[in-house]
Amino acid sequence: MFSPSELLDIHNLLTSERKVVILTHYNPDGDAIGSSLGLQHFLRARGVEAEIVVPNDFPRFLKWMPESRKITIADYKRKKAWELIDQAEVLFALDFNASHRLGALVGPWLDRAKGVKILIDHHQQPDAFDFVYSDTQVPATSQMVYHFIAALDQEELINAQVAQCLYCGIMTDTGGFRFRSTSATTHRIVANLIENGADPAAITSQTWDTNTLTRLKLLALVLGRMEVVKEGQVAILYLTREELKSYGFEKGDTEGFVNYGLSILGSKVAAFFMEDLFEDFIKISFRSKDDVDVNQFARAHFNGGGHINAAGGKYDKDIQSTINDFKELVLASNW
Ligand code: 5GP
Ligand code: MN
């Protein structure tokens, strides 16, 4: 958590006349959007109107969150996004550790921004910001936003909007309260969020029971040819650009596919390779169990990073060469 004197500085910064912008990472997920909207609604309850800017669009299954449709998407509203960041007096950076995670367009805008920069994030190795609250033990940035609100002694400002958004962020980043860093504290916070207006059944169904036929057909394709190597310990899944196009892929359709690889009895690692729809690279998702560190692996070999058990990366070769390179690395690994 921020130190008491930092908290006082931040408290004094957050006044109604200040221009405040909240930024989150490229390809925003449930935690990115949930923590950003949760913080925005909390700041509003304090009398501060903040704007949220994201680099690119996010899945439809997150757009039930209150005011999610007012978020400025830099891909679509470049000028407005740039002006907001350029003119911001206070910038919150949520759910990412370094400006390059904002992508090639927005990353440099944050580097050049003149406002005070406040990081709240649970990824490893955070960059320098004016104020840093970084904790890799916390399962979701949305939980950290809750801790921040509690540290300001303003939990009474957690209304139903704040509660719903933070609940969604914690729920999605813990895989439904399943992943390792889910703690008793997480559950206590979630209980408080429920008491303040987050409805677990409604949020789960709005976020997760929203499969489209396209998504399920893509899943069938991916699972139908899933391969396991290294005595069943490593599962490999993939999709090509042609397949995405012919099935009518929409953003978010492949969210969570990689987890099926890790659900196999005896598996330690799952990797999902997907050709980007527009650009010439492969987007990779890694998941692992226990002590197998896919963050280090993604950093070392696939221009990426993340957490010990959930990381991602990018690769410039074609999909077959990428998978072959991965297999060689896997066979040489001590997993
Ligand atoms: P996902 O597989 O869901 O895209 O990402 C899993 C985790 O890895 C997320 O926490 C995300 O922050 C991180 N991650 C995904 N892609 C990248 C990447 O290209 N670079 C880095 N540094 N982290 C990534
Ligand atoms: Mn997160």
Side-chain angles (χ1 to χ4, degrees), residues 25 29 95 97 100-101 123 255 258 283-287 299 303-307 310-314:
H25 60 79
D29 58 9
D95 202 36
N97 55 349
H100 69 85
R101 294 282 295 129
H123 295 90
E255 196 90 13
V258 65
K283 169 78 184 89
I284 313 163
S285 287
F286 297 110
R287 297 292 183 271
R299 274 175 199 269
N303 311 303
H307 313 272
K314 282 179 176 182

Side-chain angles (χ1 to χ4, degrees), residues 26-54:
Y26 196 83
N27 284 340
D29 58 9
D31 189 32
I33 298 298
S35 59
S36 298
L37 284 167
L39 179 63
Q40 182 191 43
H41 290 299
F42 162 71
L43 292 176
R44 177 172 301 158
R46 274 183 65 115
V48 180
E49 282 302 320
E51 298 268 356
I52 301 173
V53 178
V54 297

